[in-house]
Amino acid sequence: MRELSVVGKRLPKIDSIEKVTGEAKFSNDLVFPNMLFGKILRSPYPHAQIISIDTKKAKALPGVEAVITAEDTPKIKYVHLGGIHEDKLPLADKKVRYIGDEVAAVAATDERIAEKAIRLIRVKYKVLPAVFNSEDALKPGAPLIHDNKPNNIAASSTKEFGDIDKAFRQSDFIFEDRYELQAQAHCCIEPRSCAAMYDQKGNLKIWTATQSPYFVQKELAHILNIPLTKVRVMEVQVGGGFGSRSKVCEDEGICAFLAKRTGKPVKITLTREEEFTTTRIRHPMIIYLKTGISKDGILMARQAKIVTDNGAYNHMGPAVTGVAGAIIASLYRVPNVKYELLTVYTNKHFGGPFRGYGNPQATFAIESQLDSIARKIEMDPVEIRVKNANRPGDTTPVGWKITESCGFRECLEQAAEAINWREKEKNKSFGRGVGIAGCIHLSGFHVYTDGDFSSAFIKIFSDGSVELMVGSADVGTWSNTALAQIAAEELGVTLDQVRVVSMDTDLTPMDLGSWGSRVIFIGGNAVRRAAYDVKWQLFEIAASKLGANIEDLDSKEGRIFVKGSPEKFVSFSDCVVATSRHKIGKTILGKGHYDSPTELINRETGISNISAAPIFAAQAAEVEVDPKTGRVKVLRIVAAHDIGRAINPTAVEGQIEGAVAQGYGYALTEQYEYENGRVLNPNFLGYRIPRSNDIPEIVPILVEKIDSEGPFGAKGVGEPGSVPTAPAIANAVFDAIGIRINSLPITPEKILEGLRNNKTF
Amino acid sequence: MTINFRYFEPSTIGEACQLVSKYKDKAKILAGGTDLIIQMKRKTVNLKYLVNIKKIPNIDHIIYENDILRIGALVTHKKLIDSAIIQKNFNILREACLAIGTVQIRNIGTLVGNICNASPSGDTIPPLIALGAKVKCVSLGGERAVLLEDFITGPFQTLLRFDEVVVEVEIPPIPSNEQSVYAGCYAWVPKITATDETLVGVAVFLEIDQEMHTISQARIALGSVAPTPLRAKEAEKFLLGKKIDLNLFDEGSKIASKEIAPRSRVEYRYQLCKILTENSLKLATERALKGLNDYEKTDKNRDKREII
Amino acid sequence: MKKLIKIEINGKLFKIHADTSKTLLHVLREDLHLTGTKKGCNEGECGACTILLDGKAVYSCLLLAVDANGKRITTIEGLARDGKLDPLQETFVEYGAIQCGFCTPGMILSGKALLNENPYPSEEEVKIALAGNLCRCTGYKKIITAILAASQSHQSRKEKCESYQ
């Protein structure tokens, strides 16, 4: 391959200027003529029947233009996983299932009037008994949350691969442990926000903080019972996602209904309290893990029971548990695997996609236990991992094919080296320790029958500038910039000659959205194909103008020339102008589509190769633990990530650093407090995410083993940064003070209790 | 947000007193507002009249004269941190102000506001108690000075009457002699992250007899370990007149930790209280003996008045 | 209740009939359409609403608009001069300190307040200055680097000037 001039370069994010000047407009910054403000009335009870709703007084309040309940909607449920898993209406009908469940909504000319109107709505409830944890929800006689799901089991599945009983019999050592993972809040600094308007023809436009415009379009059309293309999701700046916005959000549906009812633009922005209590969370899980190992440290068998606390509604719960199960089968080489998955309803706020999507939970269990195992059989924790690391050519029990670019071993070795593993293990001191953990994840998940695809359009303007059009959303991940760099590299222009239009479902081609670490691998391939397509259209014109063979042409900085003779060139602009005047009658428009060469997930057998690019990482942490106060100070986290090629190293580092900070919070500081289903700490005062003076030194290490399928060799990196962090820290704590903490977050009390009684938590 | 209230900007203390006298418990004082505005947003305060005292002159002072330190009602935590007087003579207060959350809060939040809010975890309160601070309350009927350790009566409750305005906090001279050295220390541990509310806060102020190497006076004030900040009087009594050694601090801190009554994370707070008290006693002693004298008498020849 | 107030915002004097129950954040965003200052939590915790009040970083969501009467405010819109970016804005761009950008205005202003008071801060001092501004995207690392870089470029420019003298 020729030397790269745009890909691989640390170029600035293409929307930097508008963000540092405050010009960038997020959904709550938008203002429309006659705009109304929407507010939502939510259930104060965790479980209740709705007997009646009286909206008379609210409707009569001056300034109120609409008050809606389920009766004002077609009462169609959101699809999400579809079929028997569809369980959520836009507004509650007959029943509420958690504190915060949407019951009614108001649109008014002023935010304060809307708030007042909400308080004037009279709802009569019949309170029902409620359950707040999976154990209680599963007990016989427990209150039933959804009529079609006996025992409150939203989904269950058991899969076995290989011969698990034989493998355990043949194991020299067997380890059994229980792990408990807490809920985690995404805490996007931009609270959920959207603005919607209808036109006279019944077309809906919505500006919303989303990662997946297509899913918003699809779901809104579904619940409004209108054709797909009557919904247009617009381009707008989005203040973070991390999975909380990768599917449709409830306020989007409500905003659309209010806009329809009033015929005016309606804007809804959630309060921070609503953000903490009514948007998605990371699913809490209890994982029972049993592992069989040979005396020379080869993994023989792994059996897990995963019980997921779904919360009150499904959203993606069964799928998240499914991924956790697949990780049980896929992290490290384990030929014999059995997992039992239970996703259980409770009367609390409900889980959804969150960076890693079940992987952080499963990996915490696997990597904490592997560390225990290593210590017990007296094998170095790095060595045991390298020994069992997934290798190119492997296929995991669930059918994931490990590609040639697998850099797991390199990640483990480089993370160990960066933390000075050998030195530290030799010179141990009580109170100071190092820990390591690895992970496997996927770039792209083929879980929809639509395929796992992306498309791109590229326009060349008459002045030679380039417009890239993609359906994914850059919610801060630098995806637009990286895609633009891919386009620029393929086309032969500089980055500043490219502008990006994204998200708009009318203008951009269909894209499943920004989730599953898929945008660079799948979106990038589509972009590269589009760039290639339009480049050849230009080359055709150029060949004719230069009197050359099209195969002999090359392009750089917007100029096309015969290879070796750059001084004689035609510009992109020349070519575009030529086609508009010449009798050729062509339009210069590039299009590219990429559907990853993978299999649709097979939920029957549990075996399918759902990604063309598995990705790996290893993180190592160094900690200091004060045995008197139990406080953990993380000194350093090194994070080695297998990324294929960094399209933009600054962007990749930023993704890793941000993800590690979230993993740090998951490990040490973040915890919801509940009382009978009510969140007691729905604010930044009570729910602690790390601040600038909390985070340790974070050192990203980019392991670049060029991937043959990825665009310019790149794979994804959006999610894995948050996966091995917590077990790396927990393992470091063990190394420091000999206490195993098997439940997150790691708190001083757990450490002191552990030290006092030599207990495991 | 509390919406229906009348807003006043009195230009003298007298006017402010008239307003609170007239409107009583329906009137609230606005200084920094870092607590009050949040209460208004959450509607946890009953407010019909808002009295903004920031236009009143002569209550924004840090004055150290005749060995008395006076801090006006409008003095922010930031001003205290930056004050040369505080850095030199009352470092324990500076330490406490630095424990308060974030730059943005310290820039507008006031010391007097922190006191009047009377949060059980308010950081400035234990050091002020350790220094023997008094709260100057003014009403139409006159003026009174209330000892801070009596002023706070419960979580978010004080002896401040509805018709009173706090104008100043005063730290009286600590009676002293030639043989003595003094130092203080404020040590704290946050609940979870660094900028969090304080989980346990310990303020220690010691007078040490240099010749006899004994403790002439010990004041230990504990925060966030009971419904109100409190003095560990048993521990203080225990330390009085005793010769300084590490055992002493170990014993003393054990006694102090038994005087607390935390409502949550109880075991952990007992442990932390013991550790922090011990550390504070050690550090204060070190400072005193090193001559890092935390308390210098005013030089009557130099005007140390600092009005900001 | 309304009160006529005068505030100097980004060097320009504004006369506003402000509702006494509205915060400065609200007036900036809703009445003056200066939407660069963000509403992240509305409770003085996230820092997205940070502005400079007489040069000091404060949470505009905790200030009543009427309390800003007679004061000098700087919002993010006021940092660039005649289309030329402030050195801090430049280093934020250069060092990749921006991801979603929602916390960025508040971060830059907190950085600006720090450098105004302490032109050559240590890394620790930068961390403390930013402790009132939450970011969930970046892990803070590149933001801290950008602020240090702006201070160092100031320092090296200052040294250059001094060496010429």
Side-chain angles (χ1 to χ4, degrees), chain A residues 582-638:
Chain A
H582 198 85
K583 282 176 188 153
I584 297 170
K586 280 201 167 90
T587 354
I588 306 290
L589 180 69
K591 52 186 165 72
H593 181 91
Y594 178 78
D595 190 6
S596 73
T598 53
E599 300 163 327
L600 176 63
I601 192 166
N602 187 331
R603 298 192 201 269
E604 293 299 310
T605 63
I607 303 175
S608 36
N609 186 30
I610 59 173
S611 172
I615 45 183
F616 296 86
Q619 295 180 2
E622 184 173 3
V623 309
E624 248 173 28
V625 183
D626 183 331
K628 290 217 202 106
T629 63
R631 297 191 81 80
V632 176
K633 183 165 180 207
V634 181
L635 302 172
R636 229 172 154 231
I637 298 178
V638 302

Side-chain angles (χ1 to χ4, degrees), chain B residues 40-94:
Chain B
M40 287 167 71
K41 287 183 187 213
R42 293 194 178 155
K43 296 205 181 141
T44 53
V45 67
N46 178 17
L47 187 155
K48 290 270 180 291
Y49 306 93
L50 189 63
V51 181
N52 186 346
I53 58 169
K54 290 201 283 293
K55 299 286 190 281
I56 299 173
N58 300 324
I59 47 169
D60 201 4
H61 53 272
I62 301 176
I63 298 173
Y64 188 38
E65 222 173 37
N66 301 320
D67 301 337
I68 300 173
L69 178 67
R70 293 161 50 216
I71 302 169
L74 294 182
V75 172
T76 60
H77 299 116
K78 168 79 172 150
K79 280 170 196 164
L80 281 163
I81 290 165
D82 288 348
S83 155
I85 292 174
I86 302 295
Q87 281 182 50
K88 188 153 196 252
N89 302 292
F90 295 93
N91 200 44
I92 188 181
L93 268 186
R94 185 165 185 275

Side-chain angles (χ1 to χ4, degrees), chain A residues 6 58 83 109 142 150 203 236 316 329 362 452 646 673 678 707 711 720 742:
Chain A
V6 185
T109 51
N203 298 312
V236 71
M316 305 305 286
D452 194 12
E673 320 245 322
R678 176 179 311 281
D707 186 83
N742 287 344

Side-chain angles (χ1 to χ4, degrees), chain B residues 81-304:
Chain B
I81 290 165
D82 288 348
S83 155
I85 292 174
I86 302 295
Q87 281 182 50
K88 188 153 196 252
N89 302 292
F90 295 93
N91 200 44
I92 188 181
L93 268 186
R94 185 165 185 275
E95 285 176 335
C97 289
L98 283 169
I100 290 172
T102 63
V103 164
Q104 289 94 326
I105 295 291
R106 296 197 288 269
N107 278 341
I108 52 170
T110 61
L111 183 82
V112 167
N114 200 231
I115 293 171
C116 291
N117 187 50
S119 161
S121 61
D123 284 296
T124 59
I125 300 169
L128 287 168
I129 289 178
L131 293 170
K134 293 188 206 156
V135 181
K136 294 264 214 51
C137 313
V138 169
S139 67
L140 291 179
E143 205 179 274
R144 60 176 184 140
V146 184
L147 208 55
L148 179 59
E149 83 191 62
D150 301 328
F151 186 67
I152 296 176
T153 55
F156 307 101
Q157 290 160 47
T158 67
L159 287 176
L160 189 68
R161 293 196 311 253
F162 295 131
D163 62 342
E164 283 180 315
V165 176
V166 175
V167 294
E168 194 177 77
V169 166
E170 184 187 285
I171 291 165
I174 293 175
S176 64
N177 60 62
E178 290 300 311
Q179 260 169 263
S180 299
V181 284
Y182 306 84
C185 177
Y186 180 63
W188 78 99
V189 167
K191 283 182 176 167
I192 304 175
T193 59
T195 48
D196 213 336
E197 285 180 321
T198 294
L199 182 65
V200 174
V202 175
V204 157
F205 191 79
L206 295 178
E207 178 189 344
I208 295 172
D209 185 321
Q210 272 187 308
E211 254 189 64
M212 305 294 292
H213 214 65
T214 54
I215 300 206
S216 314
Q217 204 192 156
R219 296 169 69 89
I220 304 174
L222 309 171
S224 200
V225 290
T228 68
L230 61 118
R231 275 188 49 201
K233 292 203 168 132
E234 294 300 319
E236 289 174 3
K237 242 193 298 194
F238 171 78
L239 292 169
L240 203 58
K242 296 242 175 35
K243 198 127 178 141
I244 293 170
D245 65 39
L246 288 176
N247 251 339
L248 180 71
F249 296 148
D250 183 38
E251 288 297 314
S253 57
K254 279 197 185 115
I255 296 170
S257 71
K258 296 217 165 69
E259 297 184 62
I260 65 176
R263 299 265 173 93
S264 63
R265 298 181 79 180
V266 174
E267 266 314 305
Y268 190 47
R269 277 182 151 117
Y270 279 122
Q271 288 170 278
L272 279 179
C273 188
K274 198 262 170 198
I275 294 165
L276 287 177
T277 307
E278 193 175 352
N279 290 348
S280 272
L281 286 169
K282 276 190 206 158
L283 192 53
T285 305
E286 260 172 49
R287 285 177 180 172
L289 296 177
K290 267 191 199 147
L292 296 170
N293 208 336
D294 198 43
Y295 178 77
E296 232 173 56
K297 308 284 251 161
T298 53
D299 183 338
K300 289 185 175 63
N301 297 326
R302 275 183 295 159
D303 187 353
K304 285 202 178 160

Side-chain angles (χ1 to χ4, degrees), chain A residues 231-247:
Chain A
V231 177
R232 180 178 176 185
V233 178
M234 307 294 290
E235 186 173 28
V236 71
Q237 294 285 3
V238 182
F242 319 117
S244 65
R245 293 149 183 191
S246 62
K247 301 287 177 288

Side-chain angles (χ1 to χ4, degrees), chain A residues 55 73 91 124 179 183 354 359 396 413 437 466 498 569 606 611 675:
Chain A
T55 59
T73 72
L91 287 167
K124 272 215 188 93
Y179 299 91
F354 193 158
N359 195 349
T396 78
E413 287 169 351
V466 178
V498 183
F569 64 87
S611 172
E675 188 180 65

Side-chain angles (χ1 to χ4, degrees), chain A residues 304-446:
Chain A
K305 179 174 174 185
I306 301 178
V307 183
T308 296
D309 183 335
N310 209 13
Y313 293 98
N314 248 338
H315 207 257
M316 305 305 286
V320 171
T321 316
V323 168
I327 296 294
I328 295 291
S330 303
L331 178 55
Y332 298 110
R333 314 168 98 205
V334 196
N336 305 287
V337 174
K338 181 176 180 184
Y339 56 73
E340 187 193 332
L341 310 177
L342 269 181
T343 308
V344 183
Y345 284 121
T346 61
N347 293 111
K348 300 203 306 288
H349 56 167
F350 55 106
F354 193 158
R355 207 170 203 167
Y357 205 90
N359 195 349
Q361 296 95 318
T363 297
F364 182 77
I366 293 168
E367 285 296 62
S368 296
Q369 196 183 60
L370 192 57
D371 203 66
S372 265
I373 291 172
R375 308 283 177 174
K376 294 245 168 71
I377 69 173
E378 291 178 352
M379 194 169 192
D380 176 72
V382 176
E383 196 194 325
I384 199 173
R385 289 175 165 84
V386 171
K387 202 161 190 179
N388 288 282
N390 308 80
R391 290 173 210 169
D394 282 355
T395 301
T396 78
V398 288
W400 295 0
K401 291 198 164 72
I402 309 301
T403 57
E404 283 308 304
S405 69
C406 165
F408 199 8
R409 189 180 46 84
E410 289 84 342
C411 286
L412 287 163
E413 287 169 351
Q414 291 186 37
E417 196 182 313
I419 204 83
N420 273 336
W421 184 268
R422 249 163 271 291
E423 278 304 307
K424 302 254 153 78
E425 286 296 284
K426 261 193 263 166
N427 307 312
K428 277 177 175 297
S429 62
F430 186 77
R432 198 145 166 159
V434 285
I436 192 164
C439 81
I440 181 175
H441 202 73
L442 301 177
S443 270
F445 289 71
H446 188 165

